[in-house]
Amino acid sequence: MITAFTGTEVRDAERPLLARLGPELMARAAHGLYRVLVAELLRARGSLYGARASAVVGKGNNGGDALFALAELAGRGVRTTAVLASSSAHSDGLEAFLAAGGRLEKTLEPADVVVDAVLGTGASGEYRAPFRRPEGLVVACDLPSGVDADTGTASGEVWKADVTVTFGALKTGLLVGRGRVLAGRVEVVDIGLAPELSRPDVLVLEPEDVRALLPEPREDWQKYSRGVVGIIAGSDQYPGAAVLATSAALAVGVGMVRFIGPESVRHAVLAAHPEVVASGAPEGRVQAWAVGPGIGDDVGQHRAFDVAEKSGLPLVIDASALDRIPGPRLNGRAVLTPHAGELSHLLARMGIEAERAEIEEHPLRWARLAAEHAGTTVLLKGPVTVCAAPDGTAYVQASGHPYLATAGSGDTLTGILGALLATIPDTRPVQVAAAASLIHGHAGRIAAQGGPFGSGALARAVRESVARLSR
């Protein structure tokens, strides 16, 4: 599992370490940056000798890290230059840089790699880059200058990094908002900070974490002990949503899918999956419910939702069912799965105003707020999926492919999540939501190997995703 911390948490953890280690702490960070720069130059050129490296350097410790790293590069035959973004620079770093043969310049010269080291984790407010982003490889020191380490918000002129070398711990702002896109590939340099860090701000599930959650086949299994999910989806207007949700649930590997929907939709589902047990009203034994995809204004489906919501069982609430939530506080075993527009409407019903654009800019903040007020887990869909629990626990998953931005993708996610809630009922809903997001994201990448796809191709990819994770 990957952990990430706010900039404030990292700076607080650095203080006792700095008191014990002094300059050694910066030396560790600078050497880590140097090692990444060496790897990138070798990858790009095959040799260090004759390579050119430059940096735009701020006056703080971030600039000092870059100057010390460039000093090490100069000792390997790399031509190094630096441009000071202010009237001063870290004195020891500048001394080491000049002593190694580095040169100060007024303008940014063409180079094989340029280090962005103007601002660090303590920066705030609007940022104006001193130069336009150079062509070629850009490596950000700790985080791209102008990105908020806590939220991922960023000024308009922030350079997009190819690689971000961050020190001590991953920062939340490199996972969410514009920070995720601007950071490029993120490399974390260990400087010994882990013992000083406490509870992380956010978590990221990795494939091995999901593998540990998925049930292993047992000799005593029968269909009910494998898990039964009830799916209330589709309407005469949107029958496809029901097929997509049930297909995804079956692909995850439940013992049974009970489907509830209008007669015409039941025919469509059974034509695709004759093993589904279909009826017109919620009945029979289930371990979890998934409700909402494509139900539209269907009165019968709304009544079915009311039954599922009152059952007290784990429950996925998606799409039109989000408008049926009975009050501000919900069954704590429910998972709401809105996109930003739907979350805006949901928050308004709680008396909280937030425009869609604002939610898209600060997804972590608003998902947490909604989870707190609703008293249940919120899975906020988007380029990055944020899964938040009422107590503030949050998972951020970004394993998907851009082709997942297609009609019906959310219906598939609902089916996956409902199936997981039925098969691993003793796991926290927020962790189940994160696992569903990872499976969905990996399925998108598998499906994308053949080019652009529609959601009808996802069920097979979900099965392959689960199979790979189960190995």
Side-chain angles (χ1 to χ4, degrees):
M1 189 177 301
I2 297 171
T3 57
F5 301 81
T6 67
T8 301
E9 290 168 337
V10 171
R11 291 193 301 276
D12 288 345
E14 284 175 342
R15 290 191 186 99
L17 200 61
L18 184 60
R20 294 197 303 270
L21 298 176
E24 172 63 21
L25 189 62
M26 179 172 285
R28 292 179 181 181
H31 185 67
L33 175 59
Y34 155 78
R35 288 172 62 88
V36 174
L37 292 173
V38 168
E40 293 302 319
L41 286 170
L42 289 176
R43 185 179 295 115
R45 303 179 76 259
S47 171
L48 291 182
Y49 191 81
R52 297 174 297 171
S54 186
V56 184
V57 175
K59 63 182 179 181
N61 289 342
N62 210 41
D65 295 330
L67 289 169
F68 277 118
L70 289 185
E72 282 198 76
L73 278 180
R76 297 286 301 275
V78 178
R79 180 173 178 247
T80 58
T81 60
V83 180
L84 302 185
S86 63
S87 58
S88 62
H90 188 279
S91 57
D92 291 343
L94 183 58
E95 182 180 350
F97 170 74
L98 295 173
R103 294 186 298 106
L104 292 178
E105 300 290 347
K106 296 291 186 184
T107 60
L108 192 59
E109 294 186 345
D112 297 295
V113 61
V114 176
V115 180
D116 171 10
V118 180
L119 298 177
T121 59
S124 61
E126 190 70 18
Y127 170 69
R128 299 195 65 175
F131 304 100
R132 294 183 62 183
R133 187 195 186 279
E135 296 293 329
L137 188 69
V138 171
V139 175
C141 182
D142 211 12
L143 72 167
S145 297
V147 169
D148 188 295
D150 296 357
T151 67
T153 56
S155 305
E157 295 187 6
V158 175
W159 289 359
K160 185 182 184 306
D162 296 285
V163 184
T164 294
V165 183
T166 197
F167 307 123
L170 184 62
K171 280 68 174 182
T172 300
L174 299 176
L175 294 175
V176 296
R178 289 187 63 220
R180 181 187 71 91
V181 176
L182 293 168
R185 189 180 84 249
V186 178
E187 299 277 355
V188 179
V189 172
D190 181 11
I191 58 173
L193 209 58
E196 309 296 336
L197 292 165
S198 55
R199 180 183 175 182
D201 182 43
V202 298
L203 303 163
V204 182
L205 284 187
E206 297 186 276
E208 54 266 31
D209 301 312
V210 177
R211 185 175 299 117
L213 291 176
L214 295 175
E216 294 185 4
R218 299 197 316 267
E219 294 294 335
D220 64 345
W221 258 356
Q222 39 96 349
K223 62 188 176 185
Y224 295 111
S225 60
R226 276 190 74 184
V228 180
V229 60
I231 295 180
I232 302 170
S235 59
D236 289 334
Q237 187 177 6
Y238 305 111
V243 176
L244 293 171
T246 53
S247 297
L250 289 166
V252 171
V254 289
M256 182 191 295
V257 172
R258 291 190 184 275
F259 173 75
I260 291 84
E263 183 178 6
S264 62
V265 183
R266 297 200 301 272
H267 288 321
V269 169
L270 290 171
H273 302 292
E275 67 269 37
V276 170
V277 177
S279 63
E283 57 188 5
R285 176 180 170 184
V286 300
Q287 277 85 44
W289 289 100
V291 188
I295 65 173
D297 297 325
D298 189 291
V299 175
Q301 294 291 65
H302 289 179
R303 291 197 199 99
F305 165 73
D306 293 339
V307 172
E309 193 277 324
K310 292 173 182 175
S311 70
L313 292 170
L315 170 69
V316 186
I317 304 177
D318 184 38
S320 299
L322 291 166
D323 295 329
R324 296 284 299 173
I325 293 173
R329 303 292 290 182
L330 287 167
N331 164 16
R333 301 174 75 185
V335 181
L336 313 184
T337 61
H339 55 59
E342 291 167 334
L343 185 59
S344 176
H345 293 305
L346 198 59
L347 287 167
R349 293 176 59 195
M350 299 174 186
I352 302 168
E353 296 300 320
E355 296 296 326
R356 178 175 189 147
E358 192 175 359
I359 292 171
E360 289 173 339
E361 186 176 10
H362 298 278
L364 182 59
R365 170 191 174 189
W366 292 109
R368 275 181 163 148
L369 188 65
E372 178 187 354
H373 280 260
T376 198
T377 297
V378 171
L379 183 158
L380 176 57
K381 295 180 284 194
V384 172
T385 300
V386 176
C387 305
D391 66 357
T393 301
Y395 290 81
V396 173
Q397 302 297 140
S399 59
H401 192 281
Y403 287 157
L404 281 170
T406 186
S409 179
D411 306 333
T412 300
L413 176 59
T414 295
I416 296 170
L417 180 50
L420 289 181
L421 287 172
T423 55
I424 49 174
D426 296 328
T427 306
R428 287 190 71 191
V430 68
Q431 194 172 18
V432 179
S437 176
L438 186 143
I439 291 170
H440 184 247
H442 279 208
R445 293 201 172 274
I446 292 168
Q449 291 172 2
F453 60 84
S455 292
L458 276 175
R460 179 178 295 179
V462 169
R463 179 170 278 106
E464 177 63 22
S465 175
V466 173
R468 292 183 187 183
L469 290 167
S470 300
R471 289 170 188 163

